[in-house]
Structure formats: C-alpha cells, structure tokens
Amino acid sequence: VLSLCCEACKKVIFHVPSELEADMLVGRVDLKECLQSAEFISSSDGNFKVLEDGSVYTTSALSLSDEKKTFTILLKDIQEQVQKKIHVDLLKEEKKTPKTRHARDTVLKRTKRRWGPIPSVMIENSLGPFPLQIQQVQSDTAQNYTIYYSASGPGIDQDPKGLFYIERETGNIFATRAVDREQYPSFQIICFATTPDGYSPEVPLVHTIRIEDDNDNAPYFTQDVFEFCVPENSRPGVVVGKVIAEDRDEPYTLHTTLKYRIVSQTPPVTPAFSLHGDTGVISVLMPQLDRELVPSYTLLVEVRDMAGQPFGLCTTGTVVVKIEDTNDNAPSFKQIQYETRVEENRVSVEILRVSVVDLDEPGSPGSGAVYEIIRGNDDQAFEITTDKNTNEGILCVVKGLDYETAKQRVLVIGVNNEAPYVLAPHSQQLSQSTCSVTVHVMDVDEGPVFKPCLLRLDVKECEDIGTAIGRYVAEDPETGNSEGIRYRIPPGQCNWINIDDKSGEVRTVRVLDRDLGEMRRGQCNVTVLAIDRNGKTGTGTIQVCIVPGNKNFPRIAQTDYIMCRDRNPICLTAEDADEAPYSAPFVYRIADRNLASMWKLTPYDDNCWYLSPKSDIPYGIYEIPVSVTDNGGKIGENIVRVNLCDCVTPTECDGRTRQLSGGNVTLGLWAILAMILGSLLLLLILITICGCCGAGVMHRQVTDDCANHNLIISNTEAPGEEVMDHNIIPLQNTCDQGGYGVKTGEQQTFEMVKGRGHTLESVKGGGHQTLGSVKEGGGQPMMDTCRYSYSEWHNFTHPRLGEKVHLCRQDEEQKHSEDYLLSYNYEGKGSLAGSVGCCSDQHEEEALDFLDQLEPKFRTLAETCIKR
C-alpha cells in the first residue's frame, strides 16, 4: 500500500473581488518552494484549477458571499512518496486610499502596449558582451503596486537552461551566451508579473525570442560523387543530369542563395558540358562525344552561397559523366575469303567459323554480330549462327549436299549488328561488310534416294483388296537408275498397303473405309525402305489419303405425307451419307408407269423436288415408288406414301382416307368394307368373262344360264346355298335382256347389251384384253363397235354399291351385311399388283394392266377360268 506523507507547506492569501468571472486568474503560487517535482497537482475546490506553473484560475463564475473563502492545493510526488498541501485563502478586497497597497477604489486599467512588446531578436553567434540585454517587459500595474517579474520556458528553466533570465524588479531580459540558430531558431518564454503577496494582476505573457541567422554554414552537395550517362554523338543541349546542393542557413535569404559552376574537366580537352548556375543542370556542349575516343569525363564543380559573391561560402564536388555506346561502327570481317570441305549427305555439321572486328563496346548490342547468307543458299542447305561468347559466325550444313549435283558451292556471307546503326553528325552511310566462302563437296558412297521423298496416293473409299494405287521407286545417286534396289515397309505402321519388293508397286491390303475407327482421320503415313546391293538404305514416305467414295444409297428423309383438298405440292428431300461429289444434286423419278401418269415431280433445288398430282385424281392412299439418283449415279429406291384426303388441314385425316359425303350417306367402317367387297366382286366377274372367251369368231345367243357356261364347276363336297336376293347384281337378267357374242378369228368378244335392268354392259375380252361392242343386223340397228370406257363401268357400279351400303346402315340387325361382308384371312402385303381397289382410281380408257400383276391366288383363279 502506497502511503504518502502529507504535510502543510505554506499558506497563501489572495485579495480578490467579490465577483469572479470564469477563467479568471486569481493569483500564482510558487509550487517549487513547496515541492520541487510535483507529478500531481489538484484543487480541493472544483471552482478552481491550478496549472503547472502555479497559476490559479476559476473554472466558473463565482460570487464570494463571505469575507473569506478557503481551499487547498494538493501536490504529490509518487516516486518520492511525498505529498504536500498549500492552503489558499481568498479575501474580499477593501477600499483604501490611493498609493496604499491594498486600496482599490477604482477599476484597474490595463494596456498591452508595455506588457505585450514585439518579439525579441538576438543575433546568431553574437560576440557579446554577456550578459546581453535583448528586451524589457513591464506591467502598467507597476504604477499602483509593487510588481515582481519572472519567466519560465525553454532557455530559462528548460533546455538549454540558463540561456536567458529576467530581472525581478526591472523586467529586463538578458542572454548569457551565444546561440546557434540552426540548433535553436527561436524561443518562446512565459513572463509573469506578480505582487509580493503572490497576486497576478497581469495574464502571463508569451514572449518570442527569434535568433537572427548568420552565414555561418557553407553549402554542401547531397552526394559525394554524381554519376551520369549520356549517349555518344548526342546533340548540344541534351540534359545529362542535375547536381543538388543544400545550405543549413535560413532559407530564402542570401545565405542560402546558391550558384554552381564547373571548375575543371578531365581529360582537359575542349569543354564537353555546361552547368546551369542556378539549377545545377548539366547539358551537352560539344557535339562530338565519341566513346571510342573518350569513354568518360570527370568534372570538378563548385557551389557558393550569397548568390555566388566572392565573400560567400563555397564547396566543391565531383561529377563523372560516362559516354554510352551507340552503334556508330559497322562490323568488318577479318578475312574476305574462306575455303572449307564437307562430305556429301552430312547434315547438322559445323564446317567453318568466321570472325569480325567491331569498335563498339564489347558485349553490347552495338557490337553483337548477326550473320546472314546473302547468296548461294537457294536450297537452304546452309545455316549460319552467332557464338555469343566469341561473336564468331558458325557455318553449318543442315541439308545433305549431293556430290553428283554440285561438287562445289560458293556462299556470300554478310554481317550486321543486333542494334540499328546510329550515324554520327555529318558522317557517311555505313556499308555492310561481306566475305565469300567456297565449300568443296567430297564424294562418298551413298544409299538409294526416293524421288519424291514424300509421295501422296489418293485411294477411293471401299476399293477392293489388292487394288494397285501407285508406284514408289528409288534411284541410286551413283548410277541414276533403280536396278538392284529392293523395297520393304518396316513393321509397326498402319497396315493399309504393301509394296512389291522389286517393282515398288503399291497395293491395298484392306478395304479402306473412313467410317472405321483407325481410318477416321482419312490418311496414314507409311515409311518405305529402299536397299541397294551394297546394303545402303534410303527412306521415303507414302501418304495414303482415303478419298470419299459413292458407297451409300440416297434415301428420302420423310416418306409419309397427307395431302388435303388444296393439293399443295409435297417437298421430297433426300439424304446421302456420302460426301461431295457423290451426294447432291439429286434426280427424282417415279418408277411406276401408271402412277407416273397420275403424279409428277418438279425440281426445286439440288436436294428438293416437289411431288404433286397431274389432274383431279380420286382421294385415297397412294404408295408411289420414287427412285433417287445421286451425283455419282447411285440409285436409291423409296416408297412415298401419300394420303390424298378430303380435308382442310392434315390433322383432320388422322391417318385415314376421307371421302366426300353426299345426302344422308356417311362413310364408315361398313361402307369401306362394302366398297372393298364390290371391287372384289367386279374382279371376279371380269375373270369369269375372260374364261368364257375362246379363239376364233363365234355368234351365239346368251341364255339365262350363261354364267354356268363361263364358270367351271369345281369339285365340292356339297352344293352351295342358292341366294335369292334382288340386291345381288343380276347377271342372268343381263342374259334375259338379250346378249350377243361375236367370235372372229382368235379373238373372242363378249358383250352384254344395255337393258331396262341397268345391267353390266362391258366385259373384259380374251387374249388381247379388249373391251368392245358389236351390233348385228336382222331388222335391228348394228351393235355399237366402240369400246366402253372405265367411266361407264364406274357409273354403273357406284350407285348400286351406294344402295347396298345404305341398306346395311338401315338394318339394325345387320342381316344384309352378313350376305355382302365376309371375313378373309390376311394374305400379306407388298404385292406387285398393288391394292385391289386400284381399279376405281383409273382415269384412262381400258387401264386394265393390273390384271397382268395379280396376286398368286387370283392368278390361279384366272387360269382356272381360261382353261376349259
């Protein structure tokens, strides 16, 4: 526990007015008389504060109600563990007579004219005599009171202590010794005016003592030696560098106004540089700065203060200016002619070294040699490089020389520098130095040589194995022929080709296909060896390139289409996996002759053709065989399925054929089946009539049982049930109406005459498949000999089929449909004859060619009908 000794030091009495303002000086207490080193100063009354110099101030406005006010100043020295107390009593002032010390009947009048003098000035390094009076401070209150003066601050009670002091009674300030301005340019001291009892009628005065400069310091350079560089041949006025000097005397005075000059130059030749007196900038003065003559200059420079006056202080310094090298000297060969020898076919071998002389600085870009072969190296067989250590040119052979071609080579070599040339003022253009080198080629026994060394062979894709694709032979350089040379392909290479060991003929050993893994790159390099009788070998390279071939068939990308009633053309687009020229342009053609009469193809571009109907053909599904031929002549067969539908948009068809509807008849599943049944029945009738026709000419009356004469009764286990329905097509009624047959030669024509029963009027003829009519006489008009067209047959069958369909729809128990709609086994698809319903789509007269392309089962039925 820190225990401090507390002791009352002294008691101080201040006479003050009854009303004290804030921050008002009450008085000053000499604290050092009580405690020399007070680290802690405090007041027991918060209305007062005590400064380090002992001045006591009020912290707020205060009114003394009593005659006396007391508080304590506490001083502490923590290190010495000492504590002191100063008791302060404040007494109200009493009115006294003038001249009496405590009489104050009027307010004090203060003037700052004497208590606030101008700053004092003391000459630096003054010679005295000391003590030297430099100023006097006085208080106007000295007229009323006895005033004692004191001061504190730097130079008095702070370092440098004892430099100044103030007389207690007069206020004169004295200096005790000389002062260095560079060390202490000014002092600020605090002056006090107090009464004997410690009262301070004046506010402490801060007084400045300025030390006036004396030129006691010489200027000095910031560096011992200044080093600068400047390129040789620089023009006058080029700045080399700047020297800098400083002076410790007072700035912006003559003591620090400096002037520079060059005292001397080494070597002592024509002055090469100038020095600006005010700025210290060194510039080029002489234009002929040649590094090869003088590599550097040493300048002795001087700086003087007092603006260069002779009585000013001065200092000298050293400046070294190095002349930088520029490429103003061209290199030259030591010799202008050289000779050397080299064996033929030697490569990457050094054959000669050449050297040059350059006056520029060694190791700099201005002296670095760059050699080049100017003439004699058209085949790029030689190469010359620079040895960076010796600056020599190294001549090498990079391609083998041929003694049989040239026994001697003459080269012309030139040399330059790495840096571009910089011409000195008023100098001539530099010329390039050259030398000639004669290279003698020595003959040696060499192996065979392939010509060319790289052979490119193009092979069509998918060529047969063993196809000859070229010939690759080598020659003996000594004899110029290929006798006695054998060829082989070293193992470990792509196994695409082989070479005949004697003739050098190249053939394929595999089918080259670019779609295979290792052949996707489309080429392969094969190294071939040629070996002569002496065992000397030569190598060559065959580059096999696979050329795209025509191996793929073109095909139509989309084959299913729906064409509505607007019958807009369909754009057929083909694809071919082959590359040009074996792909587009494509040529389209309809393979079927009958469909070609109904549909047409119109070219649009190289890839697209338009498919459209030629005329108003019936609605239905058409399978059109279209052949596509690519640019290489390869033909691809395609089946294009077109659903010609009675619709506005393709979505209405939903993959089915849509027919026009009339009245209250709507096509449904039963209607479609009824139409198919009618078509089959029509085909059977035509085949039956075909069987009734024979060779030669025959006139006969058609009887009621004509059908029995035409349809051969086959062996059956039981007779069929006779159907007596008036809805069946009345073949016998046809005979009742009267029919006539005419047989002439080998052609037999059978005709059914039109009658009231709207019977069948045309049948298919015999061997030549004709349909005609014959008219006879006998009091009646001759029968019409013109043939009936398909449209007449269509007009006969269509209303009857519609009537049958209508009856099927009206019969809810579907009794009628049981007689007409029968189920058949599936017989397959892809028949060459096409659909049975194709008969209803014919437009041309007698388009009955489909009978020649019947399905096997129908062909057997037709043959049965023909044979008797």
Side-chain angles (χ1 to χ4, degrees):
V1 179
L2 179 64
S3 62
L4 299 177
C5 178
C6 186
E7 176 183 356
C9 181
K10 64 178 181 179
K11 183 176 182 181
V12 179
I13 300 175
F14 293 117
H15 295 273
V16 296
S18 59
E19 299 293 334
L20 300 176
E21 299 178 356
D23 295 327
M24 179 179 175
L25 178 63
V26 176
R28 183 171 178 270
V29 179
D30 191 357
L31 302 179
K32 292 184 178 180
E33 293 181 1
C34 187
L35 186 62
Q36 287 293 331
S37 57
E39 297 179 0
F40 181 77
I41 304 173
S42 64
S43 172
S44 62
D45 191 341
N47 293 321
F48 302 93
K49 63 181 179 180
V50 183
L51 304 183
E52 292 182 357
D53 60 354
S55 300
V56 180
Y57 289 87
T58 58
T59 58
S60 60
L62 183 64
S63 177
L64 298 180
S65 58
D66 299 331
E67 292 293 333
K68 180 181 179 181
K69 184 174 180 61
T70 303
F71 65 93
T72 303
I73 297 175
L74 182 63
L75 306 177
K76 292 182 181 180
D77 188 345
I78 299 178
Q79 292 183 354
E80 298 294 335
Q81 297 185 0
V82 177
Q83 180 172 308
K84 298 284 186 176
K85 289 184 179 180
I86 299 176
H87 297 284
V88 179
D89 293 336
L90 300 182
L91 300 178
K92 288 185 180 181
E93 295 181 349
E94 297 178 359
K95 293 183 180 181
K96 293 184 178 181
T97 59
K99 303 297 181 179
T100 303
R101 177 173 174 245
H102 298 287
R104 294 185 179 180
D105 52 354
T106 59
V107 179
L108 293 176
K109 296 182 180 179
R110 300 180 180 181
T111 173
K112 299 300 181 183
R113 184 177 59 84
R114 301 181 66 188
W115 184 238
I118 61 175
S120 304
V121 177
M122 179 181 176
I123 302 298
E124 179 186 16
N125 301 322
S126 176
L127 299 178
F130 298 102
L132 178 65
Q133 181 179 355
I134 58 177
Q135 187 60 277
Q136 181 184 18
V137 293
Q138 285 186 335
S139 174
D140 292 339
T141 58
Q143 300 176 4
N144 301 324
Y145 303 99
T146 299
I147 298 298
Y148 295 141
Y149 299 97
S150 62
S152 66
I156 298 178
D157 53 0
Q158 299 177 15
D159 292 332
K161 296 180 179 180
L163 181 59
F164 305 102
Y165 70 90
I166 187 171
E167 288 185 343
R168 182 179 183 187
E169 290 81 10
T170 62
N172 293 328
I173 300 175
F174 293 90
T176 61
R177 60 184 183 270
V179 182
D180 187 2
R181 190 206 66 84
E182 286 70 40
Q183 187 177 6
Y184 302 106
S186 65
F187 298 89
Q188 284 189 344
I189 62 175
I190 302 175
C191 300
F192 302 95
T194 59
T195 60
D197 57 2
Y199 173 70
S200 298
E202 297 283 0
V203 176
L205 172 66
V206 177
H207 182 65
T208 301
I209 302 174
R210 187 175 64 85
I211 308 301
E212 186 174 342
D213 182 53
D214 180 30
N215 190 21
D216 58 341
N217 293 282
Y220 60 94
F221 287 102
T222 57
Q223 296 178 223
D224 295 335
V225 178
F226 292 90
E227 293 184 356
F228 303 110
C229 296
V230 63
E232 62 178 332
N233 301 318
S234 295
R235 295 181 179 181
V238 174
V239 175
V240 177
K242 181 180 180 181
V243 294
I244 300 174
E246 295 178 351
D247 196 323
R248 296 180 59 193
D249 290 326
E250 186 174 0
Y252 310 110
T253 63
L254 279 176
H255 299 165
T256 55
T257 302
L258 308 180
K259 284 288 185 179
Y260 303 88
R261 72 183 183 94
I262 297 176
V263 178
S264 64
Q265 172 185 295
T266 304
V269 293
T270 304
F273 305 98
S274 64
L275 178 60
H276 194 281
D278 296 329
T279 61
V281 174
I282 301 175
S283 304
V284 175
L285 182 62
M286 182 179 67
Q288 290 83 21
L289 293 177
D290 191 350
R291 189 204 65 84
E292 287 72 35
L293 296 177
V294 181
S296 66
Y297 294 84
T298 301
L299 305 178
L300 182 63
V301 295
E302 178 192 83
V303 59
R304 187 181 294 270
D305 61 12
M306 300 300 292
Q309 297 292 335
F311 53 83
L313 303 178
C314 66
T315 303
T316 58
T318 302
V319 178
V320 177
V321 181
K322 294 181 179 180
I323 307 303
E324 291 182 342
D325 180 53
T326 58
N327 192 19
D328 57 345
N329 295 282
S332 60
F333 285 98
K334 292 182 179 181
Q335 295 178 230
I336 60 175
Q337 288 184 348
Y338 294 88
E339 286 191 9
T340 185
R341 297 176 181 273
V342 64
E343 294 179 350
E344 65 174 334
N345 299 322
R346 291 287 302 275
V347 294
S348 301
V349 58
E350 177 184 332
I351 61 174
L352 181 66
R353 280 180 175 251
V354 296
S355 57
V356 295
V357 176
D358 198 321
L359 298 178
D360 291 320
E361 184 177 1
S364 67
S367 65
V370 178
Y371 300 90
E372 61 176 339
I373 302 175
I374 300 175
R375 290 194 302 273
N377 193 31
D378 296 336
D379 56 352
Q380 304 297 317
F382 299 92
E383 181 182 72
I384 188 167
T385 57
T386 303
D387 187 337
K388 297 299 182 180
N389 297 325
T390 63
N391 210 30
E392 293 178 327
I394 305 173
L395 182 63
C396 300
V397 178
V398 294
K399 288 184 180 179
L401 302 177
D402 188 3
Y403 174 81
E404 289 73 25
T405 303
K407 298 179 178 59
Q408 179 179 289
R409 299 286 294 272
V410 178
L411 307 176
V412 177
I413 300 176
V415 64
N416 292 306
N417 288 129
E418 296 177 3
Y421 293 118
V422 178
L423 299 179
H426 311 293
S427 63
Q428 297 180 354
Q429 182 70 31
L430 299 178
S431 60
Q432 185 182 28
S433 177
T434 60
C435 72
S436 64
V437 178
T438 302
V439 181
H440 300 282
V441 182
M442 296 184 293
D443 186 26
V444 295
D445 186 15
E446 52 191 339
V449 177
F450 282 99
K451 293 183 179 180
C453 60
L454 175 64
L455 177 65
R456 176 187 173 99
L457 296 178
D458 293 334
V459 185
K460 285 188 177 181
E461 195 172 9
C462 298
E463 287 281 3
D464 295 335
I465 297 176
T467 302
I469 60 176
R471 192 165 178 263
Y472 196 33
V473 295
E475 295 180 355
D476 191 335
E478 310 296 334
T479 62
N481 56 51
S482 303
E483 294 182 0
I485 299 177
R486 305 182 71 85
Y487 308 94
R488 70 183 183 88
I489 297 176
Q493 305 182 71
C494 58
N495 187 23
W496 292 7
I497 60 173
N498 62 9
I499 186 169
D500 187 88
D501 61 343
K502 296 180 180 179
S503 64
E505 186 178 40
V506 181
R507 294 179 178 273
T508 59
V509 297
R510 299 176 61 184
V511 176
L512 304 185
D513 191 348
R514 292 167 62 93
D515 294 334
L516 297 181
E518 62 176 355
M519 302 181 186
R520 293 187 186 277
R521 292 191 303 121
Q523 74 174 31
C524 176
N525 293 340
V526 181
T527 300
V528 182
L529 298 180
I531 307 171
D532 62 8
R533 293 186 180 94
N534 299 327
K536 298 285 186 178
T537 61
T539 60
T541 303
I542 299 177
Q543 187 180 70
V544 183
C545 298
I546 304 175
V547 179
N550 194 16
K551 66 175 182 178
N552 296 293
F553 292 93
R555 65 180 185 88
I556 296 177
Q558 181 180 351
T559 57
D560 289 335
Y561 296 93
I562 296 177
M563 180 181 290
C564 290
R565 65 179 65 160
D566 54 5
R567 307 198 179 201
N568 288 332
I570 297 170
C571 181
L572 301 181
T573 303
E575 296 176 347
D576 197 329
D578 296 321
E579 299 180 3
Y582 301 109
S583 55
F586 300 105
V587 177
Y588 297 75
R589 189 178 67 85
I590 299 177
D592 186 85
R593 186 177 62 182
N594 293 334
L595 292 174
S597 64
M598 302 166 57
W599 297 83
K600 65 179 179 179
L601 288 167
T602 306
Y604 175 69
D605 55 22
D606 291 346
N607 193 27
C608 174
W609 283 45
Y610 283 131
L611 175 65
S612 60
K614 286 186 177 180
S615 59
D616 188 12
I617 62 176
Y619 295 111
I621 298 176
Y622 296 86
E623 293 184 353
I624 306 170
V626 178
S627 63
V628 183
T629 306
D630 61 18
N631 197 36
K634 207 141 193 174
I635 301 175
E637 300 292 343
N638 303 266
I639 300 296
V640 179
R641 186 175 183 274
V642 181
N643 185 355
L644 183 59
C645 181
D646 182 17
C647 60
V648 178
T649 59
T651 55
E652 298 179 8
C653 285
D654 193 20
R656 297 173 298 175
T657 304
R658 180 179 177 185
Q659 300 287 358
L660 285 172
S661 60
N664 57 353
V665 178
T666 303
L667 294 180
L669 176 61
W670 294 109
I672 296 174
L673 294 176
M675 293 178 65
I676 295 175
L677 176 62
S679 300
L680 293 175
L681 184 59
L682 173 62
L683 181 61
L684 291 175
I685 293 174
L686 293 177
I687 294 174
T688 303
I689 296 175
C690 179
C692 296
C693 300
V697 179
M698 178 184 67
H699 296 274
R700 64 179 178 179
Q701 180 72 23
V702 180
T703 60
D704 294 341
D705 56 347
C706 63
N708 296 327
H709 292 274
N710 296 322
L711 300 178
I712 300 174
I713 300 174
S714 61
N715 294 329
T716 59
E717 296 180 355
E721 181 181 355
E722 182 178 2
V723 179
M724 302 299 294
D725 195 326
H726 65 279
N727 292 322
I728 299 298
I729 299 176
L731 289 177
Q732 290 200 358
N733 288 342
T734 303
C735 298
D736 292 343
Q737 299 301 325
Y740 300 90
V742 180
K743 182 176 182 181
T744 59
E746 295 182 357
Q747 177 179 356
Q748 176 178 328
T749 301
F750 185 79
E751 177 186 2
M752 292 186 178
V753 182
K754 302 175 185 178
R756 292 185 301 271
H758 303 286
T759 59
L760 181 68
E761 297 175 344
S762 62
V763 295
K764 187 175 179 298
H768 292 284
Q769 300 180 358
T770 60
L771 181 65
S773 60
V774 179
K775 296 184 179 180
E776 292 184 347
Q780 295 183 359
M782 290 293 294
M783 298 179 64
D784 189 3
T785 60
C786 65
R787 299 178 180 178
Y788 289 94
S789 64
Y790 164 78
S791 59
E792 291 178 314
W793 173 259
H794 183 271
N795 293 335
F796 174 80
T797 58
H798 188 70
R800 284 154 183 75
L801 290 175
E803 182 180 0
K804 309 304 178 186
V805 172
H806 179 69
L807 292 176
C808 291
R809 291 177 55 86
Q810 297 298 327
D811 186 10
E812 296 181 357
E813 298 180 359
Q814 300 182 358
K815 294 180 179 181
H816 292 279
S817 61
E818 295 176 355
D819 294 333
Y820 308 134
L821 303 179
L822 302 178
S823 299
Y824 293 89
N825 291 331
Y826 180 73
E827 295 181 357
K829 63 178 182 179
S831 173
L832 296 177
S835 174
V836 177
C838 64
C839 301
S840 62
D841 294 333
Q842 303 293 336
H843 277 270
E844 296 183 357
E845 300 289 341
E846 292 187 340
L848 302 177
D849 294 340
F850 68 93
L851 295 176
D852 294 333
Q853 302 175 359
L854 296 176
E855 290 282 338
K857 295 182 179 182
F858 287 100
R859 189 179 299 111
T860 302
L861 178 60
E863 292 174 356
T864 303
C865 295
I866 293 173
K867 295 179 181 180
R868 297 289 180 175

